């Protein structure tokens, strides 16, 4: 895609995207680790919700606006744009 479209995986916003994603993953990981104190059935549900929430948060705040726009209808449905 770099040759045809001029796209590169390492662009100007890569460092910010990486930093925000690492921060979201660290918080979600700490909360998931704290779920060890809960009963297994409850912990599973909470960890699944944490995973979905962390994924949405990382997409919403780490991705630049142009990348969120490129997601099209799914990005609008998930309110990423």
């Amino acid at each position: 895609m770099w040759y045809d479209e001029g796209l590169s995986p390492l662009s100007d916003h890569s460092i910010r995207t990486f930093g925000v994603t690492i921060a979201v993953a660290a918080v979600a990981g700490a909360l998931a680790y704290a779920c060890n104190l809960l009963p297994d059935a409850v912990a599973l549900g909470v960890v699944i919700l944490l995973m979905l929430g962390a994924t949405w948060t990382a997409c919403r705040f780490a991705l630049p606006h142009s990348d969120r726009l490129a997601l099209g209808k799914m990005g609008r449905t998930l309110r990423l744009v």
Side-chain angles (χ1 to χ4, degrees), residues 2-81:
W2 177 77
Y3 183 74
D4 291 334
E5 303 292 333
L7 298 176
S8 170
L10 301 173
S11 60
D12 298 339
H13 50 77
S14 296
I15 299 298
R16 180 183 173 278
T17 300
F18 180 71
V20 171
T21 303
I22 292 297
V24 168
V27 170
L31 291 172
Y33 184 75
C35 286
N36 283 331
L37 302 173
L38 298 172
D40 288 342
V42 175
L44 178 64
V46 172
V47 169
I48 289 172
L49 290 175
L50 277 171
M51 178 196 63
L52 294 173
T55 302
W56 182 87
T57 303
C59 287
R60 176 68 173 97
F61 296 108
L63 290 175
H65 188 69
S66 59
D67 287 353
R68 288 183 278 143
L69 282 176
L71 293 173
K73 186 177 179 181
M74 184 180 74
R76 289 188 302 273
T77 301
L78 294 174
R79 298 192 182 266
L80 297 177
V81 180

